[in-house]
Amino acid sequence: MSTHARTPVRRRRRPMVGGQLPPSPAATVVKAVVFSVACALVILPFVGIISTSMAPPEQVSRAGGLVLFPERLDFSAYDAILSGGIVTRALGVSVIVTVCGTLLSLTVSSLLAYTLTRRALPFRRALTMLVVISLFFSPGLLPTYLAVQSYGLLNSLASLIVPTALSAFNVIVLRAFFGSLPDDILDAAEIDGASEIRILTSIVVPLSKAALAVIGLFYAVGYWNAFFSALLYLNDSTMWPLQLVLRTYVVDDNAITGYDLAAEAIPAQPSLQMAILVVSVVPILLVYPWLQKHFAKGALTGAIKG
């Protein structure tokens, strides 16, 4: 029997990361698997849509309508839908409605939000409460339709813009941002004789680019994705926006014929439907990178101050 006592082995503690122990290897593997599956579930449908829209018609027919890896790139579906038919017209209508609607909404929202921040405005609190109350009480479908009809906006592009030109939520966010600006700057401009419009356009708007960019993005996405207003107020299919075309030919699965397109050759229906999907998503996605630098600051400021 040994006379020397065995020295207990002391386990070495793992280093702390941010005040917490690092995850075990098993937990890291589980997280990697879960995130990989989640990413695959999100990315694969987009890959299938883009691949099908660019796959040759014979491969789409063999695959039954969905292709993940095209044998070769075929852009005949894009040539067909952008050849001057209903999809091309709808794309132009969507661009016009989105640009004009966003500019109008930003203008009226900025004017109302700035007005509600001025202390000299009579009944400022009551007017602010009216804006807040409109968040919880919608006028309803029938009164809105009758209002649009009474103003003679039916079957016009104005019916897609005017009824949704002002959002109470966006006005409240802008009011909170405008109210956080230093009063000394606005008071100095007022003492120098600047009018309210001059103060708004020369001082408030340049200092609120982040908030205006975020609110503008909210309005632009809303106008781009809106289809119910067109379904309700438009009888002429030549004024349909892209989202209503998408609903008619992709969601309702109506066949796209040569009468709808100006192309001589009509590709397979799944390729046309997937090409319409891509065209309806890509333009609004291209806007995000331009506004990304303003998005975090503007959204967080509106969330905290609102």
Side-chain angles (χ1 to χ4, degrees):
M1 181 177 181
S2 174
T3 57
H4 298 287
R6 298 184 61 182
T7 303
V9 178
R10 299 183 59 183
R11 291 187 174 180
R12 189 177 180 180
R13 301 193 60 175
R14 291 183 294 181
M16 305 284 284
V17 177
Q20 298 180 353
L21 290 174
S24 64
T28 303
V29 172
V30 171
K31 287 181 180 178
V33 171
V34 171
F35 281 116
S36 299
V37 172
C39 290
L41 291 176
V42 174
I43 294 174
L44 279 179
F46 287 99
V47 173
I49 290 172
I50 297 173
S51 300
T52 304
S53 66
M54 298 181 179
E58 56 273 14
Q59 185 185 5
V60 175
S61 301
R62 287 200 309 269
L66 184 62
V67 175
L68 281 181
F69 303 102
E71 297 172 349
R72 58 180 173 83
L73 295 181
D74 189 322
F75 297 99
S76 58
Y78 292 95
D79 292 337
I81 65 171
L82 299 177
S83 59
I86 189 172
V87 180
T88 307
R89 287 198 305 269
L91 180 61
V93 169
S94 291
V95 171
I96 292 173
V97 169
T98 301
V99 173
C100 296
T102 302
L103 292 177
L104 177 65
S105 296
L106 276 180
T107 301
V108 296
S109 299
S110 300
L111 288 173
L112 180 56
Y114 175 72
T115 303
L116 294 177
T117 59
R118 306 306 289 167
R119 296 191 184 91
L121 177 70
F123 309 109
R124 184 166 67 104
R125 291 183 179 276
L127 293 174
T128 304
M129 285 304 299
L130 285 177
V131 175
V132 174
I133 289 173
S134 68
L135 278 173
F136 305 101
F137 298 98
S138 172
L141 183 62
L142 186 57
T144 304
Y145 181 86
L146 293 177
V148 172
Q149 185 184 37
S150 64
Y151 285 108
L153 300 179
L154 287 179
N155 214 25
S156 69
L157 295 184
S159 64
L160 308 181
I161 298 175
V162 175
T164 55
L166 190 66
S167 166
F169 175 79
N170 293 335
V171 170
I172 292 172
V173 173
L174 274 182
R175 176 187 174 276
F177 197 93
F178 291 166
S180 67
L181 297 177
D183 293 334
D184 297 340
I185 300 177
L186 305 183
D187 293 340
E190 194 171 356
I191 292 173
D192 289 341
S195 63
E196 295 292 349
I197 294 295
R198 181 66 181 274
I199 295 174
L200 174 63
T201 56
S202 301
I203 299 176
V204 176
V205 170
L207 292 176
S208 307
K209 288 181 180 177
L212 291 173
V214 174
I215 298 301
L217 181 63
F218 289 164
Y219 277 127
V221 172
Y223 282 116
W224 183 265
N225 291 330
F227 75 94
F228 189 69
S229 298
L231 185 66
L232 196 63
Y233 303 131
L234 297 182
N235 296 322
D236 188 357
S237 62
T238 60
M239 290 191 293
W240 281 6
L242 192 59
Q243 301 304 325
L244 189 54
V245 173
L246 181 71
R247 178 185 182 276
T248 302
Y249 293 106
V250 178
V251 178
D252 293 345
D253 201 20
N254 292 323
I256 306 174
T257 63
Y259 178 77
D260 301 318
L261 304 175
E264 297 178 356
I266 304 299
Q269 290 293 321
S271 297
L272 290 173
Q273 292 175 339
M274 297 303 110
I276 295 174
L277 266 174
V278 173
V279 171
S280 66
V281 171
V282 168
I284 200 66
L285 283 181
L286 296 178
V287 178
Y288 281 92
W290 296 94
L291 300 178
Q292 187 179 5
K293 62 181 180 181
H294 301 298
F295 194 82
K297 181 182 177 182
L300 288 177
T301 302
I304 294 172
K305 299 292 183 180

